[in-house]
Amino acid sequence: MEDDIEEMNKLRQIRNRQYRNKAETFDDDSENESHSNNSSNADDPGPDKDMASLMGFASFGKKARTFDFDALFEQTRRAAKEKYDSNKEQELSSNSADVNQNTKTSEASSSESDSSEESSDSEAEIGPPIPENIINSIDDSKAKVDDDKDSESDDEPSSLVNDRYKSIPASHEVVLEHGNKTVSAISLDPNGARLITGGYDFDVKFWDFAGMDVSLQSFRCLRPCESHQIKNIEYSITGDAILIVSGNSQAKVLDRDGFELSECPKGDQYISDMAKTKGHCAMLNDGCWHPRIREEFLTCSNDGSLRIWLMDEKVQQINVIKPRQQGGLRALPISCRFSRDGQLVAAACQDGSIQMWDHRKNFVNTCLLVRNAHDKGTDTSSLAFSYDNRYVATRGGDDTLKLWDLRNFKQPVNVATSLFNRYSMTDCSFSPDDSFIFTGVSLRKGETTGKLIFLNRDTFQAAYELEVGDSDVVRSIWHPKLNQVLASTRSGIVKVYYNPELSERGAKLCVVKTKRKAKHAEMICEQQIITPHALPMFRVDRPKSTKKQMEKDRKDPLKSQRPDLPVTGPGQGGRIASAGNTLSSFIVRNLGLKKKIDDTLDPREAILKYAKDAEENPYWVTPAYSKTQPKTVFLNEEKSDEPPNKQRKT
C-alpha cells in the first residue's frame, strides 16, 4: 500500500513539471504571474490549494493576459506625431535635400520599429549606399520634372479652364434651317449630341451633330401636337425623355427618338377650383424638368395653376400650385422654372409678380415674393437661375432684364432697359461661369439686324453684341459642355456659334464632313447586233417602245393575269355554266326575269281590278265586317265639261 502511494506522488510531480514547462514556453509574462500566484497560494491556505492537492496539479492553467492601454495609446500618439513631423519637413524642404530627408525618415521609422512591432519597415535602407554622383543626377532630373509640372499645372487652369468661358465662342457659325416661321423652342441634350427645334409651323425637328454632314439636314421631323404652336421643348436630366409644351392644354413626353411615351390628362373646364381637376383646362405657357428627379416635371397654364407631374407608368399630377394676385384673384403664370438644386419652384405671372415656393413644403404660401417685379399686364417671358444658385434673372415684356439676389429678394441688383421684346417665350440665360447674362432682342420699327446681347453680371454693362440675322432673336442657349452658343430667329433658322479652339464637338463634327454622293443605280444594257441576212431563228428583234410592249403583254393571258372567262354551255373544267345550279343563276331565273310593273299605271285602277274578285271570294277583311260594314259606294268618274268643285277651306 505504501509503495502505491509513493508511485502516485511521483506521477503527480512529473505531471506538475510538464504543466510548468508548457506555461514557461507559451508566455514569459504569464509564467511570472503564475509563479506569483502559486507562491501566494502556498502561503495562504484556502479552497484552491485543497482542490489542487486533491486533483493532483498545482494550478488551473494560464490566466488571461493583461494590457496597459494607456501605454499603448501614448506609444501610438508618439509614432503618429513623429510621422506627421517628418511629412511636414519633407514638404517644406527643398528638392536638393530629398535624400537627407529620406535618411531621416528611415531612421525615424527604424526607431519606431524598435519601439513597436506595428511600424512599417518599408522605409529602411537595404543594401549598400547609393553613390553621391548618381544621387545628384537623380535630384537634378527630379527638380526639372517638378518645375515643368508646376508650370503646366499653373498654366492649365488659367488658360484652358478659366479662360474658356471668358470670351464668347462666336468666331465661326453654322446655320440650321428649320422652316419659314418663328423657331419658338430649342433644346440640347445634356451631352450636346442632339438638338431639337420647334416653331410656329407646328413641326419638331431632330438634329444629330455626329450624323450630319455639310448639308445640315435634320434626320426626323414630327408634328406631335397637331395644329398647336410649340411653346417649349426640353430634354430631361438624363437625356432619355423630351417634354413638349404646346398651345393646347396637354403636355406630351417623347422618348429620344421621337416616339410618344405619355400625355398629360385634360382637366374639366367646368370646375372652378383648379385643385379638383386632374389636369390643365387652358392653353399651356411653359414647362421644365426637375434638375434632380428624373421623372418629375412642371407646367404652367392660362387656367391660373402650376402643376407638378410624375411620369411613372402613366403621367399623374402630384401637386397643384395656385398663384394669387395682391387682391386674392387668380394670377396667370407665363413662365416657370425649378432652381438649380430643385428646392424652389418659381413662376413669373402676368400681374408683374415673381412668386417662389419651397419644394420641400406644402405649396400654400410663397417663400419668396416680389409683387412689382415688372409692369402689370406684360408677359415675363423667362426665368433663369444662375449656376451657383444665388441669383435669378428675369426677362420682362416691359423691355427690361433684371437680376435678383435670392438672399435679398426685395429689390433688383441690376436692371437693363431698352431691350425690346415682342414674344412671350424670349428667354435669358447665364454663361457657364456666371460671368455673363445674355438675351435676345426683337426688332423695332426701322431696325434691320437682330442681336444677341451679352451683359456683364456684376456691372450689367453690354460686353458683347452678336448680330444673328435680319429678324427677331427669340431663343438662346450657351451649352457648358460644348461651349457653343445657339440662337433661334423669327425667320425660321437656328444659328450655332462656336470657336474651334475653345469649343468641343457639336457643330465642329458636322462642318468637316463632306456631303455624301448619291448612289447611282447600275444598269446593264445589251448592245444591239444587226444581222440583216441572218436566219429568223438567229435574228435578234429590234427593241420596241414601251407602249407596244405593254399592248403585246396585254394580249398574253399569263402576263396580264386575265381572270377566267365565263363558262358557256353545260360547264367545263369543274365549273358550272351561268344557267346551271348556282345561286346567281337561280336568282336570275326566278326574280330577275319577272314581268316588271308599269310605273305609269293608276294605283286606284290597279286596286279596283280586284274589287269583283274580293266580293265573290272574300277571304280576310270582308267576313269580319260583313254584318257591320256599310255598302261600298265607288265614285264613277264621268267626263264632263263642268269645272271641278272647289274644295272648302278647313
Side-chain angles (χ1 to χ4, degrees):
M1 190 69 179
E2 293 177 358
D3 297 335
D4 295 335
I5 291 170
E6 290 178 0
E7 290 179 359
M8 289 177 66
N9 290 330
K10 289 180 181 179
L11 291 172
R12 287 174 183 173
Q13 292 177 1
I14 294 170
R15 196 176 297 166
N16 290 335
R17 289 172 189 169
Q18 290 177 355
Y19 281 119
R20 285 175 189 152
N21 293 332
K22 288 181 180 179
E24 288 175 0
T25 55
F26 188 79
D27 196 4
D28 296 336
D29 297 337
S30 61
E31 179 187 358
N32 296 329
E33 292 176 2
S34 63
H35 282 297
S36 62
N37 291 330
N38 289 332
S39 61
S40 62
N41 290 332
D43 296 337
D44 298 333
D48 293 340
K49 186 175 181 181
D50 296 338
M51 182 64 70
S53 62
L54 179 62
M55 298 297 293
F57 49 82
S59 63
F60 287 96
K62 185 183 72 171
K63 290 188 177 181
R65 184 179 178 185
T66 59
F67 297 94
D68 190 358
F69 290 102
D70 295 335
L72 290 175
F73 290 151
E74 183 64 26
Q75 184 178 356
T76 306
R77 187 185 65 78
R78 193 183 301 111
K81 186 177 180 181
E82 291 178 358
K83 193 170 184 179
Y84 175 76
D85 294 339
S86 63
N87 292 333
K88 192 172 182 181
E89 289 177 0
Q90 285 182 359
E91 292 177 359
L92 296 175
S93 62
S94 61
N95 294 327
S96 61
D98 288 340
V99 178
N100 296 329
Q101 187 64 29
N102 290 330
T103 56
K104 289 180 181 180
T105 54
S106 63
E107 291 176 0
S109 62
S110 63
S111 63
E112 285 183 22
S113 62
D114 295 338
S115 61
S116 175
E117 294 179 357
E118 296 177 358
S119 62
S120 62
D121 56 351
S122 61
E123 297 180 358
E125 294 184 358
I126 300 174
I130 303 173
E132 294 182 359
N133 55 356
I134 297 176
I135 292 173
N136 295 330
S137 63
I138 292 173
D139 293 339
D140 295 338
S141 62
K142 282 184 179 180
K144 290 180 181 179
V145 171
D146 292 338
D147 293 339
D148 294 338
K149 287 183 178 179
D150 294 337
S151 61
E152 290 177 0
S153 63
D154 293 340
D155 295 339
E156 283 177 359
S158 60
S159 61
L160 298 180
V161 180
N162 295 334
D163 294 342
R164 188 185 181 196
Y165 304 118
K166 292 299 181 184
S167 59
I168 312 299
S171 60
H172 296 68
E173 68 177 36
V174 170
V175 179
L176 306 177
E177 296 182 359
H178 174 86
N180 298 323
K181 296 186 178 181
T182 303
V183 181
S184 56
I186 57 175
S187 177
L188 275 166
D189 66 343
N191 292 327
R194 287 190 177 182
L195 169 69
I196 304 180
T197 59
Y200 282 8
D201 55 357
F202 323 131
D203 291 337
V204 174
K205 290 191 176 182
F206 292 72
W207 312 79
D208 188 5
F209 290 115
M212 283 193 301
D213 52 13
V214 182
S215 61
L216 302 175
Q217 298 294 324
S218 63
F219 71 91
R220 185 162 295 143
C221 181
L222 304 175
R223 187 167 287 187
C225 301
E226 298 178 353
S227 299
H228 293 283
Q229 295 176 352
I230 306 300
K231 295 296 187 72
N232 192 19
I233 295 176
E234 186 171 330
Y235 270 101
S236 63
I237 55 174
T238 55
D240 59 347
I242 305 165
L243 177 63
I244 306 292
V245 178
S246 62
N248 61 353
S249 60
Q250 296 173 273
K252 289 188 177 182
V253 179
L254 310 180
D255 65 356
R256 188 173 177 82
D257 296 323
F259 298 100
E260 183 176 336
L261 294 178
S262 57
E263 184 179 12
C264 296
K266 186 177 181 180
D268 190 351
Q269 59 185 348
Y270 297 104
I271 297 177
S272 59
D273 188 2
M274 289 295 103
K276 302 297 183 181
T277 61
K278 60 182 179 180
H280 290 292
C281 57
M283 181 184 69
L284 297 175
N285 290 324
D286 198 4
C288 64
W289 288 96
H290 195 279
R292 300 292 175 87
I293 304 174
R294 188 173 66 92
E295 297 87 4
E296 186 175 322
F297 61 93
L298 172 69
T299 57
C300 66
S301 170
N302 276 347
D303 60 4
S305 67
L306 291 92
R307 298 177 189 265
I308 299 177
W309 305 84
L310 189 64
M311 187 187 67
D312 200 357
E313 294 180 356
K314 60 179 182 178
V315 176
Q316 56 183 354
Q317 65 182 15
I318 56 177
N319 285 300
V320 179
I321 308 172
K322 296 184 287 186
R324 297 294 181 184
Q325 298 182 16
Q326 192 168 6
L329 298 177
R330 179 186 300 176
L332 302 183
I334 303 301
S335 60
C336 58
R337 191 64 51 186
F338 283 106
S339 60
R340 295 286 179 178
D341 56 0
Q343 295 182 2
L344 291 177
V345 179
C349 301
Q350 201 171 26
D351 63 342
S353 65
I354 300 174
Q355 306 181 25
M356 297 188 188
W357 297 265
D358 194 340
H359 191 272
R360 299 165 293 182
K361 300 178 182 178
N362 294 328
F363 299 98
V364 178
N365 298 322
T366 58
C367 62
L368 295 174
L369 175 63
V370 175
R371 284 293 177 189
N372 299 320
H374 292 276
D375 292 347
K376 188 175 182 180
T378 60
D379 294 339
T380 304
S381 58
S382 178
L383 279 167
F385 286 86
S386 62
Y387 285 89
D388 58 4
N389 209 31
R390 295 180 180 178
Y391 297 92
V392 60
T394 57
R395 181 73 164 95
D398 54 357
D399 304 342
T400 60
L401 175 64
K402 296 184 179 182
L403 180 66
W404 307 82
D405 192 348
L406 294 176
R407 296 164 293 183
N408 186 14
F409 199 66
K410 293 181 180 180
Q411 296 295 329
V413 179
N414 287 310
V415 179
T417 58
S418 300
L419 301 176
F420 184 57
N421 180 16
R422 80 162 39 96
Y423 294 94
S424 62
M425 65 279 299
T426 303
D427 57 356
C428 60
S429 301
F430 286 83
S431 63
D433 60 348
D434 289 336
S435 60
F436 297 105
I437 302 175
F438 58 96
T439 184
V441 179
S442 303
L443 296 180
R444 295 180 184 272
K445 188 175 181 180
E447 294 180 352
T448 58
T449 304
K451 297 179 181 179
L452 189 64
I453 296 179
F454 293 82
L455 304 175
N456 195 332
R457 191 194 71 173
D458 299 329
T459 61
F460 246 51
Q461 298 295 326
Y464 191 77
E465 291 184 358
L466 188 61
E467 295 182 356
V468 178
D470 56 354
S471 59
D472 306 330
V473 179
V474 183
R475 292 281 187 174
S476 55
I477 298 176
W478 189 338
H479 198 273
K481 196 168 185 179
L482 301 181
N483 195 22
Q484 298 178 10
V485 179
L486 288 82
S488 67
T489 62
R490 182 176 59 88
S491 60
I493 63 173
V494 178
K495 286 195 174 183
V496 184
Y497 295 92
Y498 67 96
N499 190 329
E501 297 179 357
L502 302 178
S503 302
E504 296 179 2
R505 300 192 301 276
K508 292 174 61 178
L509 298 176
C510 57
V511 295
V512 296
K513 291 184 179 180
T514 57
K515 187 176 181 180
R516 295 179 181 177
K517 295 182 179 179
K519 294 183 179 180
H520 298 286
E522 296 181 357
M523 297 177 63
I524 300 173
C525 93
E526 297 179 357
Q527 293 182 355
Q528 179 70 21
I529 301 175
I530 300 173
T531 54
H533 302 290
L535 296 173
M537 59 183 303
F538 298 109
R539 191 177 300 165
V540 180
D541 296 335
R542 289 185 179 181
K544 299 178 180 179
S545 64
T546 307
K547 183 178 180 181
K548 291 183 178 181
Q549 187 66 29
M550 289 177 64
E551 291 177 354
K552 187 177 180 180
D553 293 342
R554 182 63 180 167
K555 295 178 181 179
D556 189 354
L558 295 178
K559 292 184 178 180
S560 63
Q561 297 181 357
R562 184 186 66 188
D564 295 333
L565 298 175
V567 180
T568 57
Q572 58 183 2
R575 297 174 60 197
I576 301 175
S578 60
N581 296 325
T582 61
L583 177 63
S584 61
S585 63
F586 174 79
I587 293 173
V588 169
R589 287 197 308 268
N590 292 279
L591 301 178
L593 299 179
K594 282 189 176 182
K595 187 177 181 180
K596 294 183 180 180
I597 299 173
D598 190 3
D599 295 335
T600 61
L601 184 65
D602 188 7
R604 184 173 180 277
E605 294 180 358
I607 295 173
L608 289 175
K609 288 180 181 180
Y610 302 99
K612 186 178 180 181
D613 190 13
E615 291 178 357
E616 296 176 355
N617 299 317
Y619 184 72
W620 293 110
V621 178
T622 305
Y625 299 97
S626 60
K627 295 180 180 181
T628 59
Q629 187 74 13
K631 293 183 179 180
T632 57
V633 178
F634 297 102
L635 177 64
N636 294 324
E637 293 183 355
E638 296 180 357
K639 295 182 179 180
S640 62
D641 296 336
E642 295 180 1
N645 297 328
K646 293 183 178 181
Q647 295 180 355
R648 294 180 180 179
K649 295 182 178 179
T650 58

